[in-house]
């Protein structure tokens, strides 16, 4: 444990040295290392592509997602309907595009929320120490002692409504603990270092020290954890929606498309295949991207 | 060491106390209770509903309800009464506990038996064709939602008629001799255990591979090679034994997750375990069942972490707690 910590400190010091020389060099170094990671580049490209499709869905989708056409029910994938049509004759690819908006939004916003809350809590605990630290870390301990999946099931079943905000709220409320521990341990070792002492001696305010010196230097693990969290939350949302506790129809999400499809999976397996594969590809891309970012930003990170 | 264990056990008390408080608050946040639906039922008179309310103690203020619930747990290990099933919660949970344990233990054993050799194989042949294939498969494993792979396997089972689709026992289970019963459960176990083991072994294999690669770069491995030791003892006696330590922590997590890791999959394949019980209880607003399940899951989780710490201290002489 101790040697690992020391090695991390060395790694960080080395990095800080690079950063002090020119900011350009570190960014370029990261980019060079990232580019070498072929799967990460592929994962990043796929993630960007899927996000663009989701954003541009209103212009790209060939049909309205809620447009029912009973004459075209159960259409197998064809040229007019590349992903086929569902039990109400709705175009599956259009629905999948709009569902992507929901599923990706949940992933991005939950991960962002977790990063912000986790960073604030982690910096506060690490910087102030004492009572603040004890209280925050006991809360983290307690939250981490409750099994996640049952907890999400229970929260999703008990909170009324079927919207996006509700799911994000649940994910952020219980998801920030991991990031806060990461940030706290970074801050604990950073605040001992000379440059923080120097900033304090120069009369920098506490807020300035935190925002200008501590957070930027703890950024690498935050970025990696947040990237991996996007995939994790997309998986979480789809699991909840699949069980009927997440995003409620008629709003399409990949999870609830899969839930509807499972009833018809024996006769119309394409209905389950496309949303399932989309969830899988998205999560896989973010896992590639996160791993690549870890190797590029700091190979010794243990996120 | 013993002091450390006792200290950790004592630390668990306030922790679990916090867990009971959180689960109670969460569940009280939800609108309506088990009786609200009964109130809408014209056949049930309002006097009956009131009597039941008093009976269950739902008419008392929240903090009294909480303290009563807590006191019963401490004094009698009594988790309360199920509104919907009319049996004690401990009995209900006990009846499902074994099923969840069977599923998760099977998955755990498969995952470790598969992942450790594969991880060693991949690390000792880094960037070879087989390493790339296995590492890629592991990525697929950690990215596939269990409900999707479960659904696909159920579809496969239906098309080929090789395996039963969902559930834990066949309809005529009761008429089988004992070995027939074992075989029947085993057949039902194949799909869910495979799905869980695939995900678990993917993570485990990545960890094993990463650890071993790290250890293989250490000086003492170079020393072992330099003194002319054959490659096999270098790998298995020097490297693997050190690379396995971080996995002990994971093992503890997995022990902790034995009751909760399969919650979603159980609902997909209809495995009658704790995960299904929680969902059923949620739908019926069967409060004490939900709280009890969450509490049992939490206790398992913190005990698993404790077990991991203790095992790690035994396995790695470099760790000292005093």
């Amino acid at each position: 444990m101790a040697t690992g910590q020391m090695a991390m400190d060395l790694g960080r010091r080395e990095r800080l040295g690079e950063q002090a020389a020119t900011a350009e060099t570190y960014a370029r170094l990261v980019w060079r290392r990232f580019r070498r990671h072929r799967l990460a580049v592929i994962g990043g490209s796929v993630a960007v592509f899927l996000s663009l499709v989701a954003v541009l869905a209103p212009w790209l989708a060939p049909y309205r997602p809620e447009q029912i056409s009973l004459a075209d029910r159960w259409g197998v994938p064809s040229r007019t309907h590349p992903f086929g049509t569902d039990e109400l004759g709705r175009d599956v690819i259009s629905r999948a595009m709009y569902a992507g908006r929901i599923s990706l939004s949940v992933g991005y916003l939950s991960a962002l929320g977790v990063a912000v809350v986790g960073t604030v809590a982690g910096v506060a605990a690490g910087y102030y120490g004492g009572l603040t630290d004890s209280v925050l870390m006991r809360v983290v301990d307690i939250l981490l002692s409750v099994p996640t999946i049952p907890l999400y099931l229970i929260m999703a079943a008990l909170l009324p409504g079927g919207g996006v905000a509700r799911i994000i709220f649940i994910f952020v409320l219980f998801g920030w603990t991991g990031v806060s521990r990461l940030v706290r341990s970074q801050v604990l070792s950073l605040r001992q270092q000379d440059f923080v002492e120097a900033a304090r001696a120069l009369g920098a305010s506490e807020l300035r020290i935190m925002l200008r010196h501590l957070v930027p230097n703890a950024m690498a693990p935050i970025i990696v954890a947040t990237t991996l969290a996007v995939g994790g939350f997309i998986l979480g949302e789809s699991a909840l929606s699949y069980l009927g506790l997440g995003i409620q129809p008629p709003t399409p999400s990949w999870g609830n498309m899969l839930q509807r499809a499972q009833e018809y999976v024996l006769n119309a397996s394409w209905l389950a295949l496309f949303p399932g594969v989309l969830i899988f590809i998205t999560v896989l891309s973010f896992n590639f991207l996160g791993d690549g970012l870890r190797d590029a930003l700091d190979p010794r990170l243990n996120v | 060491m013993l002091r450390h264990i006792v200290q950790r056990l004592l630390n668990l008390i306030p922790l679990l106390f916090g867990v009971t408080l959180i689960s109670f608050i969460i569940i009280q946040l939800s609108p309506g209770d088990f009786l609200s639906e009964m109130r809408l039922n014209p056949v049930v008179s309002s006097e009956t509903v009131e009597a039941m309310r008093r009976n269950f103690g739902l008419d008392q203020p929240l903090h009294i309800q909480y303290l009563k619930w807590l006191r019963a747990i401490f004094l009698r290990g009594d988790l309360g009464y199920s509104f919907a099933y009319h049996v004690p919660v401990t009995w209900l949970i006990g009846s499902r506990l074994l099923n969840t344990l069977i599923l998760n233990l099977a998955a755990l054993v498969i995952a470790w038996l598969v992942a450790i050799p594969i991880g060693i194989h991949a690390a000792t042949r880094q960037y070879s064709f087989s390493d790339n294939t296995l590492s890629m498969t592991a990525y697929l494993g950690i990215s596939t939602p269990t409900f999707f792979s479960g659904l696909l396997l159920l579809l496969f089972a239906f098309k080929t008629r090789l395996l039963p689709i969902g559930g834990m026992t066949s309809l005529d289970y009761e008429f089988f001799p004992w070995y027939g019963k074992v075989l029947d459960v085993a057949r039902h176990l194949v799909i869910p255990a495979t799905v869980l083991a695939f995900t678990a072994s993917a993570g485990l294999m990545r960890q094993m591979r990463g650890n071993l690669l790290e250890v293989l770069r250490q000086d003492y491995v170079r020393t072992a090679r330099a003194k002319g030791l054959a490659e096999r003892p270098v790998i298995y006696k020097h490297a693997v034994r050190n690379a396995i330590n971080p996995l002990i922590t994971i093992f503890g997590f997995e022990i902790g997750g034995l009751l909760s890791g399969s919650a979603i999959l159980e609902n997909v394949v209809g495995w009658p375990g704790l995960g299904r019980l929680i969902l059923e209880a949620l739908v019926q607003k069967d409060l004490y069942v939900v709280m009890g399940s969450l509490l049992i899951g939490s206790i398992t989780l913190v005990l698993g972490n404790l077990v991991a710490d203790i095992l790690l201290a035994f396995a790695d002489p470099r760790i000292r707690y005093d």
Side-chain angles (χ1 to χ4, degrees), chain A residues 54-71:
Chain A
V55 170
L56 299 175
W59 295 277
L60 291 177
Y63 301 86
R64 297 286 310 150
E66 69 281 355
Q67 187 183 317
I68 293 171
S69 165
L70 292 178

Side-chain angles (χ1 to χ4, degrees), chain A residues 242 262 265-266, chain B residues 99 102-104 106-108 110-111 144-169 182-201 261-262 264-271:
Chain A
Y242 181 82
Q262 76 169 330
V265 72
L266 299 179
Chain B
N99 300 343
I102 292 175
L103 172 56
N104 283 285
L108 189 77
I110 300 173
T144 314
T146 54
F147 54 89
F148 185 52
S149 44
L151 189 65
L152 288 183
L153 281 183
L154 287 185
L155 185 63
F156 170 80
F158 178 82
K159 297 265 184 203
T160 60
R161 306 202 175 270
L162 283 176
L163 289 165
I165 36 170
M168 184 173 159
T169 49
V182 173
L183 202 70
D184 189 46
V185 171
R187 272 164 50 82
H188 283 82
L189 191 59
V190 173
I191 288 179
T194 310
V195 170
L196 282 183
F198 183 44
T199 311
S201 58
S262 57
I264 287 175
L265 188 66
E266 282 176 15
N267 286 296
V268 177
V269 301
W271 189 265

Side-chain angles (χ1 to χ4, degrees), chain B residues 43-55:
Chain B
V43 183
V44 184
S45 73
S46 61
E47 287 82 36
T48 318
V49 175
E50 264 321 297
M52 284 183 80
R53 217 165 96 87
R54 262 196 310 281
N55 224 344

